[in-house]
Amino acid sequence: MTKLRLRQQSAAITRKIIHVDMDAFYASVEQRDNPSYRGKPLVVGGSPNQRGVVAAASYEARKFGIHSAMPSITAIVFDVAAGIAKCPELIFVRPRFDVYREISTAIHAIFKRYTDLVEGVAMEEAYLDVTENKQNIT
């Protein structure tokens, strides 16, 4: 059995962690790629006609209380009994995960310029340990 000796440091290191969470990521990509979606309430996810779920909602859609993980039918209907639309001009688009993955890879490459310690949580979320100043930024 080998014993591992840990070197003690005289001063404690304070870690510097950045949490990046691009919460409207999918919707923002769709608005970037399709100018007609810009400034409009947009949902990326399954159709409300097929038991879909909201994967992401644009900031314009969020103003109506629409958010990720809610059933698509709930996003579109405010009062089921009365059939009142929560947001009549809401746009639904199907996810394009291949595109989101490509953009996420490019964003993670940018993170790697600043630290080698990147912990990806999802395509649109990561933790960066920037304790070491890789870019010598003052």
Side-chain angles (χ1 to χ4, degrees), residues 29-102:
V29 170
E30 296 302 332
Q31 289 176 321
R32 179 200 74 172
D33 291 352
N34 188 335
S36 70
Y37 295 156
R38 293 180 190 164
K40 295 181 181 169
L42 176 76
V43 162
V44 176
S47 168
N49 301 325
Q50 299 173 341
R51 291 189 65 195
V53 175
V54 174
S58 68
Y59 289 106
E60 296 84 2
R62 290 171 183 222
K63 292 177 186 175
F64 294 92
I66 299 165
H67 56 83
S68 60
M70 74 185 326
S72 296
I73 190 68
T74 304
I76 203 163
V77 179
F78 176 70
D79 183 343
V80 177
I84 300 171
K86 186 177 286 193
C87 177
E89 55 279 343
L90 187 62
I91 301 166
F92 277 83
V93 297
R94 304 289 293 161
R96 298 182 300 146
F97 291 111
D98 55 329
V99 174
Y100 310 145
R101 230 179 326 280
E102 183 180 319

Side-chain angles (χ1 to χ4, degrees), residues 2 5 8 19 46 81-82 97 107 111 122:
T2 306
R5 274 198 147 156
Q8 289 186 335
H19 178 228
F97 291 111
I107 291 169
F111 296 160

